[in-house]
Amino acid sequence: MVKLGLNIDHVATIRQARGGVEPDPAAAAYIAESAGADSITVHLREDRRHIQDRDVEILSGTLKTRMNLEMAATEEMKRIALDIMPHSVCLVPEKRQEITTEGGLDVVSQKGFLKDYIKPFIEKGVIVSLFIDPDIEQVKASGYTGAQFIEIHTGSYAEAFDTMEEGEEFSKLRNAAGLAMGIGLQINAGHGLNYHNVSNMLTIPGFYEFNIGHSIISRAVFVGIERAVRDMKHVLG
Ligand code: PXP
């Protein structure tokens, strides 16, 4: 069964809207884990717009499952991550003005840099995942870096869902996943996945985990985090 990673950034987004202490991302993670979430993702952005350093510290001591720390490949983030020692890091491109992570990492143009960047993580036992578009060249370059995982960007598929372009976007995911498995990479997927479009994803073999944030937190506004997580677990089978 494909595992469910819950991204709790948006819990922190609501808290930061007032700059106070509620809602508490650590409490959200606790409830989500009790409801069956298999891991918790937090994205410590350079501009600290939602998750704060203190959240990451607290979660590292309270999570019962796994922490997947999403981050840009900067020296600052490397220092923080190697101090916190999450179960895994997921390297993403980061632009200050973007609303959310817009595209995958360009591994092809910086594969030498990334190979060196991730070395200390792998040596210290932190799993490394590269967030990439479903592109054959990006998959091959990811294999070269030594990362154990890729997370395939499902944003274009999610946008194309229920349109004429859905089939084409879905084929890209299938091909990228197939190649990744062939060269020994483990595969996650995420971005834009929701209760409707995730079912198709289950027909592609090999995925280890789907990382989902916005749709689950949106549903949680109405039904609570526990129910929203249980509902997604139910869809995943
Ligand atoms: N995976 C990565 C690498 C992301 O950047 C995000 C968004 O923060 C997600 C998964 C979750 O995307 P969504 O919030 O659209 O479910």
Side-chain angles (χ1 to χ4, degrees):
M1 201 206 298
V2 181
K3 294 184 185 300
L4 172 63
L6 177 67
N7 180 316
I8 57 169
D9 292 350
H10 289 316
V11 177
T13 300
I14 299 173
R15 180 193 59 193
Q16 296 307 111
R18 285 291 170 94
V21 295
E22 63 179 11
D24 177 9
Y30 177 82
I31 296 166
E33 288 181 324
S34 313
D38 298 291
S39 71
I40 300 294
T41 293
V42 284
H43 184 177
L44 186 64
R45 293 187 76 103
E46 186 193 9
D47 62 10
R48 307 298 199 270
R49 69 173 71 158
H50 38 53
I51 293 293
Q52 306 296 306
D53 299 58
R54 188 167 154 69
D55 294 320
V56 181
E57 275 164 38
I58 291 171
L59 286 163
S60 79
T62 56
L63 287 185
K64 293 196 268 335
T65 58
R66 293 174 275 120
M67 179 192 288
N68 177 42
L69 180 62
E70 230 184 278
M71 55 182 238
T74 63
E75 285 308 311
E76 182 200 18
M77 287 301 153
K78 182 191 275 185
R79 189 174 38 73
I80 293 171
L82 289 176
D83 184 37
I84 294 286
M85 292 291 285
H87 176 82
S88 57
V89 292
C90 179
L91 301 184
V92 297
E94 216 177 272
K95 295 191 209 105
R96 257 178 192 266
Q97 301 310 327
E98 69 191 356
I99 293 172
T100 181
T101 311
E102 280 168 0
L105 204 57
D106 185 1
V107 184
V108 173
S109 72
Q110 45 178 349
K111 60 183 182 185
F113 163 75
L114 287 169
K115 188 176 183 177
D116 291 343
Y117 185 87
I118 68 180
K119 217 170 165 191
F121 290 95
I122 292 171
E123 281 170 3
K124 293 189 161 70
V126 177
I127 288 170
V128 177
S129 178
L130 304 178
F131 183 57
I132 58 166
D133 290 332
D135 176 280
I136 296 302
E137 295 309 318
Q138 297 294 348
V139 175
K140 287 185 195 158
S142 299
Y144 167 86
T145 66
Q148 302 99 323
F149 270 83
I150 55 169
E151 178 172 327
I152 303 182
H153 193 327
T154 47
S156 298
Y157 157 69
E159 268 177 34
F161 188 70
D162 251 350
T163 72
M164 301 278 282
E165 284 78 46
E166 179 185 329
E168 192 185 328
E169 292 301 332
F170 190 69
S171 301
K172 289 183 196 163
L173 296 176
R174 186 185 286 283
N175 294 340
L179 174 64
M181 274 202 293
I183 61 175
L185 284 164
Q186 299 192 70
I187 40 175
N188 296 329
H191 216 287
L193 294 178
N194 61 34
Y195 296 83
H196 307 291
N197 64 25
V198 79
S199 301
N200 280 349
M201 295 291 297
L202 298 171
T203 66
I204 301 177
F207 283 114
Y208 179 75
E209 188 161 71
F210 294 148
N211 286 319
I212 306 179
H214 192 264
S215 68
I216 296 178
I217 300 301
S218 299
R219 179 174 290 218
V221 170
F222 298 107
V223 304
I225 289 182
E226 179 171 6
R227 171 79 187 278
V229 169
R230 281 193 203 286
D231 287 351
M232 184 57 82
K233 286 291 285 186
H234 183 74
V235 177
L236 297 183

